[in-house]
Amino acid sequence: MKKNILLCIAMVSVFSFNIYSQKAKLANADKKYDNYAYIDAIKTYEKIAEKGYKSAPMFQKLGDAYYFNGELENAVKWYAELFAMPDTQIEPSYYYRYAQSLRAIGDNDKADQILEQFDKISDNDSRAKLFKENANYLDEIKANSGRYKIENAGINSQYSDYGSTIYNNKIVFTSARDTGSLGQRKHTWTDQHFTNLYSADLGQENIPSNPVKFNRSLKSKFNEATPVFTKDGNTVYFTRNNYVKGKKGKNENGVTLVKLYKATLEDDKWTNIEALPFTSDSYSTAHPTLSPDEKTMYFASDMSGTLGLSDIFKVQINDDGSFGTPESLGSAINTEGRETFPFVSQDNELYFASDGHPGVGGLDIFMSKINDDGTFSKVQNIGMDANSPKDDFAFIIDSKTRKGFLSSNRDGGLGYDDIYMFSETKKLICEQELYGEITDFDSRIALANAKVTLFDNKMNALNTVDADQNGGYRFKVECSKMYTVRAEKEEYNTNEKQVTIAKESGETYLPIALEKDQCKVTLGDDLGKCFGIKMIYFDLDKSNIRMEAALDLEKILDVLNQYPTMKLDIRSHTDSRASFKYNESLSDRRAKSTISWLVKNGINADRLTGKGYGESQLVNKCADNVKCTEEEHQMNRRSEFIITAL
């Protein structure tokens, strides 16, 4: 019995020691996690978990460590353990990361279930809103897919290769490959060598070859990555750990983050290396790109004002080389997730990587057109092939050749991240222009300087232009959308027309004719033309006045009342498609019915004359036995109100 008591005490002591030991290891792993030493943290956490130790915070950090390292299959395992913990309050962001990881292994049904729960518990999270608004997002992604021919770029190593740009007919990229240096150091975050910049020649068909280290004057002891060069080749902006002139900068927790740097080329060496003025030891800035006019820099950061884990910002580059104040691109682009690796094409298309917008797993590549007023068009997933269930990012494209490069850790790659080259076979954006002419209704003369306004389907004004000397106008519009165009000019009645834009890229034509608001007439003129009255409508083979006819006759009646000395000769015409005698008789009855209606409504009969002319006064070739269109026949079926006295 005594031995049994001692055995129990010993077991308790051993158990207590194991718990203490595991908690000590966990605290050590937490420290490594908080300092971005993810690989070491994973090893420690997993050893503890293998011994049966369960902890929601540990499973969160294990899942995150794999998630942020791009190993989403492993992230699923530990997020699943987290969600299996009983009575555990799980933060909404873990629902989203779990769903994204599930997508990576193709479990879209489970991912959607988790996102539905995420939507219920999230507090105004834009990712939940995007999921709800894009319930058929996978169909949209499928519709955008199949537009790229993608293949390995042929310059990859067994390590991480990513983040390319074009410079002097070379591709310059980021690589963690070991070049044989005896002092080559590894980063605890990724367990890979610190990254350096490499370049490879671009041959025919944009195929890179012969990768070598880029100019050594940019190299430091730590990471260099994701450069962008000015068009003249004399300035480079790039990402580097917070390290310059032999000194490391650290945040309040002692962690060295990343900053954007600038260098200039002198005698084939990059000199004057300095951090950009808006960077800080307290937050990260990374992955710069330039607008086509090089007056704006876009970059990723987690600085104050960031919606999520990282957002895309822009900053003005002044003529003297100084910088403005960084601005977030806002909720049109950024989410509570990660937005990173921006790139702006020559066509002002913003490409970026995100795990916050609806995708197929991990980071996906998205695109939004930058409008002339600085706003952004709808964000679109660029589709599968370019995107995979893993992380896809660092997209660049030549707007003319539609060839480019992207980075990915998708299955089948050579290393941790690989660079892929692609050619785009069909543009993502359906580009349409709405155009037309504004003309005088009667003369068809162009109305220069007419005011033309474009409205959306809710009658919100989108743009206003003045018609050119030929009466022409032109607007950039979105495919498949409905718009209203309003044309205005002094002395003319305003006119509006609706139009639905075609689904394919191209142009949509919408001419608009304006009628003068005051019709000037004299003896012999047709009063009906003032009101666009081409024909008084009667039922087939009848001569009684229809409601539509009465509406037009009310206009004639009003003018006759305004001008009591005006007299009219009312003439009714037909086309040639019945017998001559029948048409003459029918048209005469209709002319007399018109006179009768006006007399009945107060006009003296001596002010009105009238006759039916049948088909005797055709205005075109459409006589008997001549083949004509319905529109041509319509020109002959007309009513005229000829002024015989004023």
Side-chain angles (χ1 to χ4, degrees):
M1 183 69 178
K2 187 175 181 180
K3 288 182 181 180
N4 286 339
I5 291 175
L6 290 174
L7 181 58
C8 288
I9 293 172
M11 288 179 64
V12 170
S13 299
V14 170
F15 181 74
S16 300
F17 177 77
N18 283 342
I19 292 292
Y20 176 81
S21 175
Q22 289 165 354
K23 287 184 176 180
K25 289 180 181 178
L26 186 60
N28 182 49
D30 286 348
K31 183 177 179 182
K32 291 175 181 178
Y33 178 92
D34 292 337
N35 284 281
Y36 306 101
Y38 287 167
I39 292 294
D40 288 350
I42 289 173
K43 292 176 182 176
T44 305
Y45 286 137
E46 287 189 323
K47 287 178 182 177
I48 297 169
E50 287 169 2
K51 294 181 179 180
Y53 187 78
K54 294 181 180 291
S55 160
M58 181 181 73
F59 291 143
Q60 288 174 350
K61 290 178 178 179
L62 257 175
D64 284 353
Y66 278 117
Y67 181 84
F68 292 119
N69 237 10
E71 299 181 41
L72 302 182
E73 301 99 322
N74 289 326
V76 167
K77 174 183 176 181
W78 297 112
Y79 285 143
E81 290 282 0
L82 170 64
F83 277 75
M85 293 282 289
D87 303 321
T88 300
Q89 188 75 22
I90 301 174
E91 294 178 12
S93 59
Y94 287 99
Y95 283 81
Y96 193 82
R97 292 175 204 160
Y98 186 25
Q100 288 291 93
S101 302
L102 286 165
R103 294 221 187 288
I105 63 171
D107 196 346
N108 289 313
D109 291 340
K110 180 72 176 289
D112 286 344
Q113 292 173 15
I114 297 297
L115 281 174
E116 287 172 5
Q117 296 177 52
F118 172 64
D119 180 34
K120 292 177 182 177
I121 65 171
S122 62
D123 182 19
N124 254 349
D125 192 301
S126 65
R127 293 171 295 180
K129 184 179 178 182
L130 286 168
F131 170 69
K132 203 168 185 179
E133 291 177 350
N134 297 275
N136 299 318
Y137 70 93
L138 287 175
D139 292 335
E140 293 181 15
I141 292 173
K142 186 177 180 181
N144 291 341
S145 300
R147 300 181 305 105
Y148 295 94
K149 294 181 179 179
I150 297 179
E151 55 186 313
N152 193 294
I155 54 173
N156 296 301
S157 68
Q158 60 181 309
Y159 297 97
S160 186
D161 301 286
Y162 68 94
S164 52
T165 192
I166 305 301
Y167 173 68
N168 285 348
N169 202 37
K170 297 177 183 288
I171 177 175
V172 181
F173 61 98
T174 309
S175 181
R177 66 188 64 192
D178 183 2
T179 58
S181 171
L182 295 175
Q184 193 79 0
R185 303 166 67 240
K186 289 187 176 182
H187 197 311
T188 53
W189 186 342
T190 61
D191 200 32
Q192 295 198 37
H193 300 294
F194 282 94
T195 59
N196 290 311
L197 299 181
Y198 283 74
S199 68
D201 297 328
L202 285 177
Q204 293 183 348
E205 303 300 321
N206 216 40
I207 298 174
S209 61
N210 305 318
V212 295
K213 261 194 176 181
F214 188 63
N215 197 305
R216 292 180 180 270
S217 55
L218 279 183
K219 183 181 181 301
S220 72
K221 293 168 60 178
F222 298 98
N223 290 301
E224 276 79 34
T226 55
V228 62
F229 298 86
T230 54
K231 292 174 184 175
D232 63 14
N234 293 326
T235 303
V236 62
Y237 301 98
F238 62 101
T239 308
R240 175 191 276 183
N241 281 108
N242 190 355
Y243 180 84
V244 68
K245 295 180 181 178
K247 294 182 180 179
K248 280 198 301 182
K250 297 182 179 182
N251 67 7
E252 59 184 8
N253 297 319
V255 177
T256 298
L257 302 177
V258 292
K259 280 186 176 183
L260 292 177
Y261 287 83
K262 173 184 177 181
T264 55
L265 188 63
E266 295 181 8
D267 298 326
D268 203 34
K269 288 187 178 180
W270 293 101
T271 62
N272 305 314
I273 299 175
E274 58 183 6
L276 298 188
F278 53 84
T279 60
S280 170
D281 293 348
S282 302
Y283 54 78
S284 289
T285 50
H287 315 317
T289 190
L290 296 172
S291 62
D293 62 9
E294 299 188 344
K295 293 182 178 180
T296 305
M297 176 184 289
Y298 295 81
F299 62 95
S301 180
D302 59 356
M303 66 173 63
S304 176
T306 303
L307 291 177
L309 296 175
S310 65
D311 280 5
I312 296 174
F313 289 77
K314 68 177 181 179
V315 63
Q316 182 177 335
I317 304 175
N318 301 317
D319 292 339
D320 62 0
S322 61
F323 289 83
T325 302
E327 302 174 44
S328 168
L329 298 194
S331 58
I333 299 297
N334 296 313
T335 70
E336 285 79 358
R338 292 179 292 173
E339 278 69 47
T340 185
F341 288 98
F343 171 77
V344 180
S345 73
Q346 291 297 312
D347 292 337
N348 264 338
E349 299 164 333
L350 171 66
Y351 294 88
F352 62 98
S354 172
D355 64 4
H357 292 275
V360 295
L363 289 170
D364 272 20
I365 300 164
F366 296 84
M367 192 275 284
S368 174
K369 183 81 171 181
I370 305 174
N371 301 317
D372 293 339
D373 60 359
T375 59
F376 296 91
S377 66
K378 178 185 176 182
V379 171
Q380 295 189 66
N381 187 300
I382 68 171
M384 290 175 279
D385 293 339
N387 287 317
S388 71
K390 302 295 181 63
D391 286 333
D392 306 284
F393 56 98
F395 179 102
I396 66 170
I397 189 170
D398 184 302
S399 295
K400 292 181 180 179
T401 65
R402 308 310 294 180
K403 295 179 182 292
F405 298 90
L406 62 84
S407 303
S408 178
N409 66 348
R410 64 186 61 191
D411 293 339
L414 182 63
Y416 184 75
D417 294 309
D418 285 316
I419 297 171
Y420 294 82
M421 57 185 182
F422 66 80
S423 60
E424 186 184 62
T425 58
K426 179 184 176 183
K427 291 194 72 172
L428 174 63
I429 287 185
C430 176
E431 296 180 328
Q432 269 276 345
E433 286 195 340
L434 174 63
Y435 77 104
E437 300 86 31
I438 312 302
T439 58
D440 180 285
F441 182 84
D442 294 313
S443 67
R444 301 301 177 187
I445 294 174
L447 297 180
N449 301 315
K451 180 182 176 182
V452 190
T453 305
L454 179 71
F455 297 87
D456 64 16
N457 62 348
K458 295 181 180 179
M459 290 307 292
N460 297 310
L462 301 176
N463 198 2
T464 298
V465 298
D466 290 331
D468 62 25
Q469 62 182 3
N470 298 315
Y473 73 90
R474 188 173 287 270
F475 295 110
K476 289 184 177 180
V477 291
E478 294 184 38
C479 296
S480 303
K481 285 196 173 182
M482 187 179 75
Y483 295 90
T484 296
V485 179
R486 176 186 296 165
E488 305 169 77
K489 190 170 176 63
E490 290 183 3
E491 300 183 358
Y492 285 86
N493 293 317
T494 296
N495 193 7
E496 289 182 350
K497 281 192 174 183
Q498 282 189 340
V499 60
T500 299
I501 306 302
K503 297 179 180 179
E504 299 292 332
S505 292
E507 295 180 327
T508 299
Y509 180 58
L510 182 68
I512 300 178
L514 299 183
E515 297 181 85
K516 288 185 176 179
D517 58 5
Q518 290 187 346
C519 183
K520 296 178 182 179
V521 292
T522 188
L523 292 176
D525 287 345
D526 182 0
L527 180 61
K529 287 185 177 180
C530 283
F531 305 102
I533 300 172
K534 296 180 180 179
M535 181 179 178
I536 297 297
Y537 286 92
F538 297 84
D539 287 325
L540 184 65
D541 295 334
K542 294 183 180 179
S543 57
N544 55 300
I545 301 296
R546 288 171 51 182
M547 182 64 71
E548 297 94 317
L551 179 61
D552 279 335
L553 289 177
E554 285 284 356
K555 301 170 187 176
I556 303 297
L557 177 66
D558 182 69
V559 174
L560 287 170
N561 286 329
Q562 288 182 54
Y563 299 90
T565 60
M566 180 182 286
K567 293 183 178 182
L568 297 178
D569 183 38
I570 297 168
R571 303 172 183 178
S572 177
H573 303 268
T574 69
D575 60 37
S576 63
R577 290 184 292 182
S579 70
F580 186 91
K581 185 176 180 180
Y582 177 82
N583 284 334
E584 187 176 47
S585 175
L586 177 64
S587 64
D588 195 60
R589 291 198 308 273
R590 287 178 171 178
K592 289 177 179 177
S593 291
T594 302
I595 292 172
S596 176
W597 187 93
L598 290 168
V599 170
K600 184 179 179 181
N601 283 277
I603 302 302
N604 288 331
D606 61 1
R607 297 174 63 190
L608 304 171
T609 58
K611 181 181 177 181
Y613 292 84
E615 59 182 277
S616 65
Q617 295 185 5
L618 300 176
V619 296
N620 55 26
K621 64 180 182 179
C622 299
D624 290 338
N625 302 317
V626 176
K627 187 175 182 181
C628 288
T629 65
E630 182 60 35
E631 290 77 11
E632 289 172 321
H633 283 303
Q634 175 67 61
M635 293 172 67
N636 292 312
R637 297 195 305 273
R638 65 197 190 279
S639 299
E640 296 173 325
F641 299 83
I642 305 301
I643 300 170
T644 58
L646 278 172

